[in-house]
Amino acid sequence: MGEAQTQQAGFVRTAAGLAYEIRPWQWYKQGVILIAIVFSKQLFDPMAWGRVSIAVAAFCAVAGATYIFNDISDVEEDRKHPEKRNRPIASGQVGVQTAGAFAIALLVAGFALSYTLGPLFVAIIVAYLVQNAAYSLYLKDVVLVDVLLIAVGFVLRAVAGVVAIGVALSPWLVVCTFLAALLLALGKRRHEFAASEVPGETRATLADYTPETLDQLLGIVISTLLMSYSIYTFTGAKLAMMLTLPFAFFGVFRYHHLVYTTKAGASPGALLVDRQLLVNFAFWGLIAVVVLYGRPRAWLVGVFG
């Protein structure tokens, strides 16, 4: 192989490693930003979609940078881990300096995009970075605080969607987003505990959790989430949103079932391939859109007299 081919192969290898480091399969988390555009009734507004697309791109860039910085700071620990040692930085596929420079470029791009959406959006990005730094450097090892901080990250995404399109912030958006994210975080901890032969070996906080504690917390969060969503449908401007309640309940119950019977709890992204959840979400979304954007009062009169 000639020198040019060797350099080209090295470039491709580095590029592939950097692409892995920014975790594109984790970008589904930015979907929370889209909640605002649906419930603010701007789903068919091209201008709103343009602004929310910029918001999603900004969060993807900033999140990619945080993933890289986390892997750089944990490189020595990752090299001792049976799975994480294969990550590009830990394995040497991507140099630390190269990865750091790429992360800085992503941060610059993320802030440049954020600036176009206004100073309040920039402030949310800064808060997101602070939250990630606090989690990665210390709070990920503090029991209960670790899952609460993960939920806060999703709330920041939801609020970012509201700010991006310039609509009023609903307290129900904050409450339900926080509780749903907390449910996913607790489900992941429950799976990690069950899969770990020695609690605390792969994640420090697992040594402080117990199965009983996690089970009780899951029950509390599930009850609070479903109650909060129910109250939202009862008191909101569109009472017909009550029609979505069976689907909301099934979705939460299905997730709880999967946490204890499959590996879905290990990665919330795995839920995106569960057929029953996908069908359920499709029906929930269809009914919600029809209720919010249609004229459901006539249906209720016809059904209930």
Side-chain angles (χ1 to χ4, degrees):
M1 181 180 294
E3 182 177 350
Q5 291 178 316
T6 301
Q7 291 179 347
Q8 184 178 8
F11 175 80
V12 172
R13 177 179 169 82
T14 300
L18 290 173
Y20 179 93
E21 283 291 338
I22 60 177
R23 318 278 209 278
W25 59 89
Q26 297 278 5
W27 289 356
Y28 70 89
K29 296 177 181 178
Q30 320 314 340
V32 177
I33 298 173
L34 304 178
I35 295 176
I37 200 172
V38 175
F39 286 90
S40 64
K41 301 180 183 180
Q42 298 191 41
L43 186 60
F44 304 108
D45 185 345
M47 292 293 292
W49 271 107
R51 292 181 65 83
V52 83
S53 296
I54 294 174
V56 169
F59 261 86
C60 286
V62 172
T66 62
Y67 292 142
I68 293 175
F69 284 131
N70 288 343
D71 284 356
I72 290 175
S73 63
D74 296 339
V75 63
E76 295 302 328
E77 294 180 9
D78 287 351
R79 285 171 179 166
K80 301 174 184 178
H81 194 277
E83 295 180 2
K84 294 181 180 181
R85 66 184 180 184
N86 296 319
R87 290 178 174 177
I89 294 176
S91 67
Q93 180 180 348
V94 176
V96 171
Q97 292 184 344
T98 301
F102 185 60
I104 292 174
L106 287 173
L107 279 179
V108 172
F111 273 103
L113 290 169
S114 301
Y115 181 77
T116 66
L117 298 176
L120 185 54
F121 191 90
V122 174
I124 293 174
I125 289 290
V126 172
Y128 174 76
L129 287 171
V130 171
Q131 175 252 341
N132 268 276
Y135 177 83
S136 300
L137 296 177
Y138 176 66
L139 295 180
K140 67 180 180 181
D141 295 327
V142 180
V143 66
L144 298 179
V145 175
D146 60 334
V147 292
L148 289 170
L149 207 58
I150 291 173
V152 169
F154 281 91
V155 170
L156 288 173
R157 290 178 174 92
V159 174
V162 171
V163 172
I165 58 178
V167 296
L169 177 63
S170 167
W172 295 113
L173 173 67
V174 175
V175 170
C176 291
T177 300
F178 177 79
L179 291 170
L182 187 57
L183 175 62
L184 295 176
L186 288 169
K188 184 174 182 179
R189 291 293 180 271
R190 185 62 179 85
H191 173 84
E192 290 172 340
F193 192 96
S196 178
E197 296 181 1
V198 181
E201 185 177 26
T202 57
R203 187 183 295 274
T205 53
L206 291 182
D208 296 318
Y209 283 114
T210 66
E212 294 77 15
T213 297
L214 290 169
D215 291 341
Q216 290 174 7
L217 289 174
L218 280 169
I220 292 170
V221 173
I222 286 175
S223 300
T224 310
L225 171 59
L226 292 176
M227 181 62 70
S228 298
Y229 184 77
S230 298
I231 294 174
Y232 156 69
T233 65
F234 298 155
T235 60
K238 296 285 189 178
L239 291 179
M241 281 296 290
M242 289 188 293
L243 296 173
T244 65
L245 283 176
F247 302 96
F249 274 70
F250 177 82
V252 172
F253 291 165
R254 176 66 179 171
Y255 171 72
H256 185 262
H257 171 72
L258 293 175
V259 167
Y260 288 92
T261 59
T262 70
K263 296 182 179 180
S267 173
L271 302 176
L272 299 177
V273 296
D274 181 75
R275 183 176 301 176
Q276 291 188 36
L277 276 178
L278 287 176
V279 173
N280 181 73
F281 180 76
F283 277 108
W284 175 86
L286 177 63
I287 294 174
V289 168
V290 171
V291 168
L292 292 172
Y293 295 84
R295 298 179 179 273
R297 179 171 296 182
W299 308 345
L300 290 178
V301 172
V303 173
F304 300 106

